[in-house]
Amino acid sequence: MNDPALVIKSVMMPALVESLYMTFWGTVFSCILGFGLAVILVVTAEDGLSPHKWVYRLLNVLVNTLRSFPFIILAVTIIPITRAVMGTSIGTNAALFPLVIVACPFVARVFEGNLKAVTPGMIEAAKAFGASNMQIIFKIMLKEAIPVMCISVTLVVISILGSSSMAGALGAGGLGNVALIYGYQSFNDLIMYGTVFILVVLVQTIQSIGNLLYNKLK
């Protein structure tokens, strides 16, 4: 398969769609869950809005433990769980489960840092006016942290894109699967380096969009 037009139409484009699908939904779910974890970590921390030592320690250990696993190892380890939850362990939908499990703790840590970076004086002023914890989080901390969180989400998207490429080795489809099977194993340099080129373009595009949003919101 050395005809560039045929390669793009029959191999590259479907793989690109699969990679974008996994990256988009992986980012959505991991950001939702990660933000929830980040809020709990910020609230229950020793210097948080409502300190709770044991809740923070338990969640802290859980987040650190999940972050210690490389994606490919975790994905293989939880195959039985993936099969039970998703109904299958092969394909793009099945890959979403380990993608979210891996990305969620990373998102939680990044968002936690973003929220904690808000000027303490603003939080103290809000407390003095009788604002509740939820009002402080969503109307003060989140509002101030949104520009920086755009950069954080950009990092998350790029990280999930890379993980989705590795998921191709487990039969998840996408650009990683094409590079491995049709490129590397078939000794097809056109597909191999074409996949690399597409990934580079995607990363550059994602980073540019993230920088643009940051400059608009700051």
Side-chain angles (χ1 to χ4, degrees), residues 26-39 41 56 58-71 74 78 96-114 152 155-156 159-160 163:
T27 301
V28 169
F29 291 127
S30 62
C31 283
I32 291 173
L33 295 175
F35 179 74
L37 290 175
V39 169
L41 287 168
Y56 181 82
L58 179 62
L59 196 56
N60 187 56
V61 170
L62 176 62
V63 168
N64 288 340
T65 300
L66 290 175
R67 286 186 65 198
S68 66
F69 285 92
F71 170 76
L74 179 66
I78 65 172
L96 285 176
F97 186 73
L99 281 173
V100 172
I101 296 298
V102 165
C104 184
F106 172 69
V107 174
R109 280 299 183 212
V110 174
F111 282 178
E112 179 190 11
N114 295 155
S152 298
L155 296 176
V156 172
S159 176
I160 292 178
S163 295

Side-chain angles (χ1 to χ4, degrees), residues 111-128:
F111 282 178
E112 179 190 11
N114 295 155
L115 293 173
K116 283 186 173 181
V118 175
T119 306
M122 298 182 65
I123 298 174
E124 293 301 323
K127 287 181 178 179

Side-chain angles (χ1 to χ4, degrees), residues 2-23:
N2 291 312
D3 181 4
L6 183 60
V7 168
I8 293 173
K9 181 178 180 180
S10 62
V11 176
M12 292 296 194
M13 288 305 297
L16 175 60
V17 171
E18 289 174 343
S19 289
L20 292 176
Y21 174 85
M22 289 187 285
T23 301

